Amino acid sequence: QITLKESGPTLVKPTQTLTLTCTFSGFSLSTSGVGVGWIRQPPGQALEWLALIYWDDDKRYSPSLKRRLTITKDTSKNQVVLTMTNMDPVDTATYYCTHGNDFVDSHVTHWGPGTLVTVSS
Amino acid sequence: QTVVTQEPSLTVSPGGTVTLTCASSTGAVTSDYYPNWFQQKPGQAPRTLIYSTTNKHSWTPARFSGSLLGGKALLTLSGVQPEDEADYYCLLFYNNAWVFGGGTKLTVL
């Protein structure tokens, strides 16, 4: 059974850097084709795709947020970390971690429950 | 900037059929965009229904189906149930990045 869980601060101040951790089980990020990504959703708004890292350390980023995002993986800990710099109140959102497998063209299959991050001074 | 467009809202009667569409500002949606469809109910994380245009997961009810028609990706619900009332999002692949549509709020009434 695949599970993912997001963790990190619930409140950050404007201009600070957000660091979120996705801890997963039921799969290995060293398995060919596997990818773990991040998606966010501001309150009452649509989903927004942020970033994805693959088993081979290939990384993809949203063009509009690329300069602020960094995604890394620690295969031994079954974790993926997303950092977002220069946080702003408009970045207030629920952040979701996802799992997929590129080899079967299912790029977003499983979701974590999400974690709400509020940006406020 | 690429924009993915969905109907903001649709209403369907129980037992009826409804089709949700997903269009791209860059032109016709093809299988190369690997269309995905997600369902989200209030207070819950999204759930993946359809991947790579037509493929269902083991948990996807049979009444949901995905297709391409007229340059758009489609999600069709046949025999709609009250529990299908939710927000639905499509996701398309562009040049190493993914873009969500704005979502469709489906009301079953």
Side-chain angles (χ1 to χ4, degrees):
Chain A
Q1 179 188 3
I2 289 175
T3 64
L4 308 103
K5 184 157 187 178
E6 307 85 354
S7 60
T10 58
L11 179 66
V12 297
K13 290 180 167 45
T15 75
Q16 287 186 335
T17 293
L18 171 68
T19 299
L20 293 173
T21 300
C22 174
T23 303
F24 53 84
S25 64
F27 68 94
S28 171
L29 199 38
S30 61
T31 300
S32 296
V34 172
V36 172
W38 289 91
I39 291 165
R40 71 178 180 180
Q41 185 175 38
Q45 297 185 42
L47 299 168
E48 180 180 17
W49 184 84
L50 299 177
L52 178 62
I53 188 166
Y54 287 104
W55 85 102
D56 60 356
D57 210 38
D58 184 16
K59 301 169 186 176
R60 313 288 172 86
Y61 295 101
S62 165
S64 62
L65 292 169
K66 184 173 184 175
R67 282 180 288 185
R68 298 175 55 205
L69 295 174
T70 301
I71 190 169
T72 60
K73 63 181 176 72
D74 187 330
T75 304
S76 65
K77 292 184 178 178
N78 281 352
Q79 290 182 333
V80 169
V81 174
L82 181 76
T83 60
M84 179 179 291
T85 61
N86 194 25
M87 293 293 284
D88 183 271
V90 300
D91 296 313
T92 293
T94 296
Y95 287 76
Y96 296 101
C97 173
T98 66
H99 157 276
N101 192 318
D102 206 37
F103 282 6
V104 297
D105 293 331
S106 179
H107 305 91
V108 180
T109 306
H110 300 277
W111 296 69
T115 185
L116 176 61
V117 178
T118 301
V119 184
S120 174
S121 56
Chain B
Q1 183 174 344
T2 302
V3 176
V4 177
T5 301
Q6 300 181 243
E7 297 87 358
S9 64
L10 291 170
T11 300
V12 61
S13 300
T17 297
V18 65
T19 297
L20 287 65
T21 70
C22 178
S24 170
S25 62
T26 61
V29 176
T30 67
S31 59
D32 291 339
Y33 288 76
Y34 301 99
N36 283 253
W37 290 93
F38 307 90
Q39 178 192 63
Q40 186 179 33
K41 296 182 179 180
Q44 297 182 14
R47 178 175 72 148
T48 309
L49 296 174
I50 301 290
Y51 65 98
S52 197
T53 309
T54 61
N55 296 285
K56 301 179 187 183
H57 290 291
S58 59
W59 54 82
T60 305
R63 61 184 180 275
F64 290 85
S65 64
S67 62
L68 294 173
L69 185 67
K72 298 181 181 181
L74 307 182
L75 176 69
T76 300
L77 288 70
S78 304
V80 172
Q81 302 296 307
E83 61 265 29
D84 297 333
E85 183 162 293
D87 294 328
Y88 292 85
Y89 293 93
C90 68
L91 178 67
L92 300 179
F93 177 70
Y94 296 88
N95 298 327
N96 298 320
W98 296 83
V99 180
F100 276 100
T104 296
K105 183 176 184 62
L106 183 66
T107 300
V108 181
L109 201 58

